[in-house]
DNA sequence: CTACGGCACAAACCTACGTATAGCTCGCAC
DNA sequence: GTGCGAGCTATACGTAGGTTTGTGCCGTAG
């Protein structure tokens, strides 16, 4: 099933490695390393520089020196998180300490490498990071369609959806919302159509993926 | 030896901190620290010792010196993972390095503290670890009932369940399995009863929680 | 003003779901 | 063999789900 060879060609574009390091020789060395295995590379010399660039639209990862001019790599990590950019980060450090490492890892860094960095370690880390980003993007994409269709629902349809997905019968939904059962049925049909759900099971999974709260949901022990 | 008495059959809910350290003074200091904030404590002097003890039945966490007689803390972490014991681990180290830290964090450690450890840091870490374990246990418990009920289903009932939860209509399930529609209906009723599902929505969520594969599931983009 | 969309309901009609009752075969344990 | 449970089906009946067609009210954008 999972074929390695076709992954490079298929998917949503070639992955890219973003490098942020103020040392030109380091940037050059890393760029060469990644290009030698066929990865696209984009290099930056400061945190500010990459924050101005547009977030990549393909699976990618960041290789980040922890010590950067201006803000530290950890600050950049926090800024990216605040900006809702979840590109996986690999840190490099010349003189890092353990608390710094722990903080970075707790904030979601995929790896934390010490100089001198062994080429293979870096490539392994980048490989893992890009794979992680690819999975995240796939998951994101799979619900984005659902989300946009949900946005197209009217307020009332959303009310009905929440209760229907909770497992209530039409008559219970009607009672809950002060409607006639026939009205609920009609909304329900519109919901199925607008959401593109072929079955109630579909609809339930969509609402769960959207994180819509259940009014009477349980799953008792 | 056995400075750890019997542990008073914890009233299911009181968390406990498990300490593994070969230094008696460290054990004593940590024990005092945790007891001062009302936490139960059990101390061990080696990895082997704690592997022989029964896994705790209450929310708990491990405070582990990375350097232990015999095996290292990282080995113990790996052994516990292999034994399917997921108690959160907080490492302490006197002379750890960054690769060690990264390895521990990647393997799921909640924190990695360097000596001398500040009391408040340790308490914060333990608090977070216990909270994490409590959540994991809650989640585990909530599906254990579902899982055991699923075990009580007959082979055919499971077949029907998988297809019904995929969103197929009774007639489609019947065609898929080479049955009459009425047969599917009857199994379906038995499934609802045995699984304790009040609605199809319930059933769908149960099957998802159990990780039962969907035959025609989609959630298209 | 008019058009449009959201909201709400009704009658009629059809399909899907669910249960009760009853009967059949097969394999397995006692 | 006898009993038992799983597996399978049928008839019959009642309930729940779902669509179509048509009506009406309200607010707002043009």
């Amino acid at each position: 099933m999972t074929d390695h060879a076709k992954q490079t060609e298929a998917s949503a574009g070639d992955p890219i490695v973003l490098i942020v390091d103020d040392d030109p020789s380091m940037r050059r060395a890393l760029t060469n390393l990644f290009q030698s295995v066929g990865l696209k590379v984009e290099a930056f010399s400061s945190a500010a520089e990459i924050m101005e660039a547009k977030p990549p639209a393909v699976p990618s990862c960041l290789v980040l020196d922890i010590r950067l001019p201006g803000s530290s790599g950890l600050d950049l990590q926090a800024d990216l998180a605040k900006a809702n950019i979840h590109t996986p980060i690999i840190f490099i450090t010349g003189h890092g300490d353990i608390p710094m490492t722990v903080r970075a890892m707790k904030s979601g860094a995929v790896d934390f490498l010490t100089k001198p960095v062994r080429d293979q370690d870096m490539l392994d880390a980048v490989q893992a990071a890009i794979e992680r980003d690819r999975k995240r993007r796939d998951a994101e994409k799979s619900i984005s369609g659902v989300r946009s269709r949900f946005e197209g629902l009217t307020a009332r349809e959303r009310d009905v959806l929440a209760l229907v997905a909770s497992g209530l019968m039409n008559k219970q939904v009607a009672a809950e919302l002060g409607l006639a059962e026939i009205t609920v049925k009609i909304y329900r049909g519109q919901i199925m159509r607008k959401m593109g759900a072929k079955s109630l099971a579909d609809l339930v999974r969509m609402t769960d993926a959207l994180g819509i709260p259940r009014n009477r949901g349980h799953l008792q022990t």
Side-chain angles (χ1 to χ4, degrees), chain A residues 61-77:
Chain A
C61 75
L62 260 159
V63 175
L64 206 57
D65 196 303
I66 199 92
R67 243 175 244 288
L68 291 172
S71 63
S72 91
L74 291 173
D75 292 336
L76 176 54
Q77 183 183 33

mmCIF file of all heavy atoms in Angstrom, chain A residues 61-77:
data_model
loop_
_atom_site.group_PDB
_atom_site.id
_atom_site.type_symbol
_atom_site.label_atom_id
_atom_site.label_comp_id
_atom_site.label_asym_id
_atom_site.label_seq_id
_atom_site.Cartn_x
_atom_site.Cartn_y
_atom_site.Cartn_z
ATOM 1 N N CYS A 61 9.230 21.732 6.477
ATOM 2 C CA CYS A 61 9.685 21.804 7.856
ATOM 3 C C CYS A 61 10.699 22.912 7.984
ATOM 4 O O CYS A 61 11.233 23.407 6.988
ATOM 5 C CB CYS A 61 10.273 20.479 8.322
ATOM 6 S SG CYS A 61 11.901 20.135 7.660
ATOM 7 N N LEU A 62 10.904 23.323 9.202
ATOM 8 C CA LEU A 62 11.814 24.419 9.508
ATOM 9 C C LEU A 62 13.051 23.855 10.175
ATOM 10 O O LEU A 62 12.945 23.049 11.102
ATOM 11 C CB LEU A 62 11.129 25.374 10.484
ATOM 12 C CG LEU A 62 10.509 26.633 9.909
ATOM 13 C CD1 LEU A 62 9.463 27.173 10.867
ATOM 14 C CD2 LEU A 62 11.574 27.672 9.683
ATOM 15 N N VAL A 63 14.213 24.316 9.710
ATOM 16 C CA VAL A 63 15.454 23.999 10.410
ATOM 17 C C VAL A 63 15.956 25.317 10.971
ATOM 18 O O VAL A 63 16.209 26.264 10.221
ATOM 19 C CB VAL A 63 16.485 23.372 9.469
ATOM 20 C CG1 VAL A 63 17.798 23.159 10.201
ATOM 21 C CG2 VAL A 63 15.961 22.059 8.916
ATOM 22 N N LEU A 64 16.078 25.355 12.268
ATOM 23 C CA LEU A 64 16.153 26.625 12.966
ATOM 24 C C LEU A 64 17.306 26.629 13.952
ATOM 25 O O LEU A 64 17.391 25.750 14.812
ATOM 26 C CB LEU A 64 14.836 26.777 13.745
ATOM 27 C CG LEU A 64 14.326 28.146 14.072
ATOM 28 C CD1 LEU A 64 14.149 28.951 12.799
ATOM 29 C CD2 LEU A 64 12.992 28.004 14.787
ATOM 30 N N ASP A 65 18.194 27.612 13.816
ATOM 31 C CA ASP A 65 19.208 27.751 14.855
ATOM 32 C C ASP A 65 18.543 28.378 16.073
ATOM 33 O O ASP A 65 17.742 29.300 15.945
ATOM 34 C CB ASP A 65 20.370 28.626 14.368
ATOM 35 C CG ASP A 65 21.595 28.465 15.244
ATOM 36 O OD1 ASP A 65 21.491 28.706 16.466
ATOM 37 O OD2 ASP A 65 22.653 28.072 14.715
ATOM 38 N N ILE A 66 18.879 27.857 17.229
ATOM 39 C CA ILE A 66 18.214 28.346 18.438
ATOM 40 C C ILE A 66 18.643 29.779 18.753
ATOM 41 O O ILE A 66 17.899 30.549 19.344
ATOM 42 C CB ILE A 66 18.527 27.398 19.630
ATOM 43 C CG1 ILE A 66 17.511 27.574 20.753
ATOM 44 C CG2 ILE A 66 19.929 27.609 20.156
ATOM 45 C CD1 ILE A 66 16.352 26.656 20.647
ATOM 46 N N ARG A 67 19.849 30.110 18.348
ATOM 47 C CA ARG A 67 20.343 31.471 18.573
ATOM 48 C C ARG A 67 20.253 32.256 17.278
ATOM 49 O O ARG A 67 20.966 31.974 16.329
ATOM 50 C CB ARG A 67 21.797 31.435 19.048
ATOM 51 C CG ARG A 67 21.968 31.995 20.435
ATOM 52 C CD ARG A 67 23.393 31.833 20.912
ATOM 53 N NE ARG A 67 23.477 30.953 22.065
ATOM 54 C CZ ARG A 67 23.058 31.285 23.289
ATOM 55 N NH1 ARG A 67 22.536 32.458 23.512
ATOM 56 N NH2 ARG A 67 23.163 30.429 24.276
ATOM 57 N N LEU A 68 19.356 33.219 17.246
ATOM 58 C CA LEU A 68 19.184 34.017 16.046
ATOM 59 C C LEU A 68 19.312 35.489 16.400
ATOM 60 O O LEU A 68 19.051 35.879 17.539
ATOM 61 C CB LEU A 68 17.792 33.770 15.449
ATOM 62 C CG LEU A 68 17.546 32.394 14.839
ATOM 63 C CD1 LEU A 68 16.086 32.242 14.464
ATOM 64 C CD2 LEU A 68 18.428 32.214 13.619
ATOM 65 N N PRO A 69 19.714 36.306 15.439
ATOM 66 C CA PRO A 69 19.784 37.739 15.719
ATOM 67 C C PRO A 69 18.385 38.274 16.000
ATOM 68 O O PRO A 69 17.446 37.967 15.276
ATOM 69 C CB PRO A 69 20.349 38.331 14.415
ATOM 70 C CG PRO A 69 20.051 37.311 13.373
ATOM 71 C CD PRO A 69 20.073 35.990 14.057
ATOM 72 N N GLY A 70 18.261 39.060 17.063
ATOM 73 C CA GLY A 70 16.931 39.578 17.427
ATOM 74 C C GLY A 70 16.244 38.610 18.375
ATOM 75 O O GLY A 70 16.536 38.584 19.556
ATOM 76 N N SER A 71 15.363 37.794 17.833
ATOM 77 C CA SER A 71 14.636 36.864 18.701
ATOM 78 C C SER A 71 15.267 35.478 18.616
ATOM 79 O O SER A 71 15.858 35.100 17.623
ATOM 80 C CB SER A 71 13.176 36.774 18.262
ATOM 81 O OG SER A 71 13.092 36.254 16.965
ATOM 82 N N SER A 72 15.094 34.707 19.645
ATOM 83 C CA SER A 72 15.647 33.358 19.662
ATOM 84 C C SER A 72 14.746 32.417 18.869
ATOM 85 O O SER A 72 13.612 32.746 18.524
ATOM 86 C CB SER A 72 15.769 32.852 21.095
ATOM 87 O OG SER A 72 14.611 32.168 21.484
ATOM 88 N N GLY A 73 15.257 31.244 18.594
ATOM 89 C CA GLY A 73 14.476 30.245 17.877
ATOM 90 C C GLY A 73 13.213 29.881 18.625
ATOM 91 O O GLY A 73 12.162 29.623 18.021
ATOM 92 N N LEU A 74 13.301 29.879 19.952
ATOM 93 C CA LEU A 74 12.128 29.545 20.756
ATOM 94 C C LEU A 74 11.042 30.604 20.609
ATOM 95 O O LEU A 74 9.849 30.292 20.584
ATOM 96 C CB LEU A 74 12.521 29.402 22.233
ATOM 97 C CG LEU A 74 13.395 28.176 22.558
ATOM 98 C CD1 LEU A 74 13.860 28.231 24.009
ATOM 99 C CD2 LEU A 74 12.630 26.889 22.305
ATOM 100 N N ASP A 75 11.480 31.860 20.516
ATOM 101 C CA ASP A 75 10.507 32.942 20.313
ATOM 102 C C ASP A 75 9.818 32.781 18.966
ATOM 103 O O ASP A 75 8.598 32.936 18.860
ATOM 104 C CB ASP A 75 11.212 34.306 20.362
ATOM 105 C CG ASP A 75 11.726 34.623 21.753
ATOM 106 O OD1 ASP A 75 11.160 34.061 22.717
ATOM 107 O OD2 ASP A 75 12.684 35.405 21.864
ATOM 108 N N LEU A 76 10.611 32.452 17.965
ATOM 109 C CA LEU A 76 10.040 32.251 16.635
ATOM 110 C C LEU A 76 9.039 31.106 16.656
ATOM 111 O O LEU A 76 7.953 31.190 16.062
ATOM 112 C CB LEU A 76 11.156 31.975 15.618
ATOM 113 C CG LEU A 76 10.716 31.661 14.193
ATOM 114 C CD1 LEU A 76 9.795 32.740 13.646
ATOM 115 C CD2 LEU A 76 11.918 31.482 13.276
ATOM 116 N N GLN A 77 9.403 30.056 17.364
ATOM 117 C CA GLN A 77 8.497 28.916 17.512
ATOM 118 C C GLN A 77 7.164 29.361 18.115
ATOM 119 O O GLN A 77 6.089 29.000 17.624
ATOM 120 C CB GLN A 77 9.145 27.860 18.414
ATOM 121 C CG GLN A 77 8.322 26.590 18.592
ATOM 122 C CD GLN A 77 8.983 25.618 19.561
ATOM 123 O OE1 GLN A 77 9.647 26.025 20.506
ATOM 124 N NE2 GLN A 77 8.802 24.332 19.310
#
